[in-house]
Amino acid sequence: MYRHALAVAVVPLLAGVVACSDGTVTLDEEKFDEGFGSVKSAVLVHDTEAGGDGYYVMLANRGGLCKDLQELLPQQYALEDDYAAAWDDFNEALFDWTNPNYVDAINAALNDLCEAQTVYLNGMTELYDTFVEEGDHFLVASFWNEDDYNIFPEEEVTYDTDASSSEDGFDLVMSYYFGNPYAPVADAWDEEACKSLDADQMATAFDDIWDAMDSTLDTWSADGGEATIKAKGDTKVVVEYSGGLEDMDGNDAGKIEGDFAAKLCEIE
């Protein structure tokens, strides 16, 4: 995905696809207890809010995705920017060896960083309380060529997940949500352990908390496969894709197929 992040053996296309569906995703029925469901939203996200200018495709088994992303992402980026600024201040204090008040400066910067992490996690929890619900399924695909990443997919090009950086390629991530992914992380966060200046406690505070997210979602990524694009001007793309999936441990997770039309969604 452009900023950071927010994912079918080949079986017949899903039964019961409604008329307003933007496409289909089918999953290996031997690997998945439940399918992806009808694609109710398929958007080509153009994101100029993240300090750059990039595109990615996102599918969901629910409607209204573009509006939801337009509300979510600017607020998420503001939280991320404030948190990143706290890290910058901490690193500046950490490497300012000439400061005669070095220890005090480190303590102050660390306290600010720990408090910033609390604000960030609480803020993300609040945002995702309104963005995701149990049963939400998402698929995100990003495309690249030899010059850039997160490009607008070019017309009549076949993109390969195994492509090198000098070829036309794409990444694909599919996620199933069982709840708000940030809520258990915020619960696991220990601000006081963060402020302790004890290396082990700090490592636990900053790193181990993210394991709590595992209870709220399953994620898979592309393992081989290709996508064929047909661009319709600069506001729509039609995509057909098929290939393999692997879980986060690198184990085979079956096959995926899909076809959909994604409409432009501006994030600015």
Side-chain angles (χ1 to χ4, degrees):
M1 194 166 167
Y2 180 54
R3 173 87 169 199
H4 75 261
L6 252 171
V8 232
V10 180
V11 295
L13 292 181
L14 294 174
V17 176
V18 297
C20 63
S21 171
D22 286 318
T24 58
V25 174
T26 58
L27 298 166
D28 188 336
E29 57 188 357
E30 295 181 359
K31 298 288 185 177
F32 290 86
D33 291 334
E34 63 175 309
F36 188 88
S38 299
V39 178
K40 300 294 182 62
S41 295
V43 295
L44 174 66
V45 180
H46 181 209
D47 193 341
T48 58
E49 184 70 21
D53 188 353
Y55 293 85
Y56 57 87
V57 169
M58 189 169 182
L59 313 184
N61 65 334
R62 69 163 200 234
L65 182 61
C66 181
K67 180 181 178 181
D68 290 345
L69 290 172
Q70 288 171 334
E71 293 178 356
L72 171 80
L73 291 179
Q75 297 181 77
Q76 177 171 324
Y77 295 162
L79 287 169
E80 291 173 348
D81 288 343
D82 289 345
Y83 182 45
W87 268 108
D88 290 341
D89 291 344
F90 175 73
N91 286 325
E92 182 178 350
L94 184 64
F95 293 106
D96 185 9
W97 310 111
T98 62
N99 186 345
N101 299 311
Y102 179 76
V103 174
D104 290 340
I106 286 290
N107 280 323
L110 179 61
N111 284 348
D112 289 345
L113 175 59
C114 297
E115 292 170 3
Q117 171 107 333
T118 300
V119 171
Y120 170 72
L121 291 176
N122 289 341
M124 292 294 284
T125 298
E126 183 176 349
L127 286 180
Y128 275 73
D129 271 341
T130 60
F131 180 69
V132 295
E133 296 181 356
E134 181 177 359
D136 282 348
H137 301 166
F138 298 102
L139 187 150
V140 177
S142 300
F143 300 83
W144 74 80
N145 58 24
E146 60 181 340
D147 298 319
D148 207 357
Y149 191 73
N150 292 310
I151 63 169
F152 183 92
E154 298 176 15
E155 185 175 0
E156 297 291 353
V157 171
T158 297
Y159 295 84
D160 190 339
T161 58
D162 295 325
S164 70
S165 59
S166 62
E167 301 171 315
D168 295 315
F170 82 103
D171 293 327
L172 181 150
V173 176
M174 185 175 70
S175 301
Y176 284 16
Y177 283 81
F178 310 112
N180 184 333
Y182 288 95
V185 182
D187 288 342
W189 169 243
D190 187 339
E191 184 178 313
E192 294 309 310
C194 170
K195 294 178 177 180
S196 68
L197 277 180
D198 178 275
D200 291 336
Q201 290 190 57
M202 290 175 63
T204 298
F206 277 110
D207 297 331
D208 293 353
I209 59 171
W210 296 103
D211 293 339
M213 192 177 280
D214 292 343
S215 65
T216 63
L217 78 164
D218 286 334
T219 302
W220 302 266
S221 59
D223 180 24
E226 61 182 28
T228 300
I229 306 297
K230 295 180 182 179
K232 304 293 185 180
D234 57 2
T235 62
K236 183 179 180 180
V237 292
V238 177
V239 182
E240 295 181 4
Y241 57 93
S242 64
L245 288 173
E246 63 181 14
D247 62 24
M248 297 308 291
D249 294 323
N251 300 315
D252 172 53
K255 303 290 184 180
I256 180 171
E257 281 193 336
D259 63 88
F260 60 90
K263 307 174 186 69
L264 189 66
C265 177
E266 296 280 2
I267 309 295
E268 55 187 12

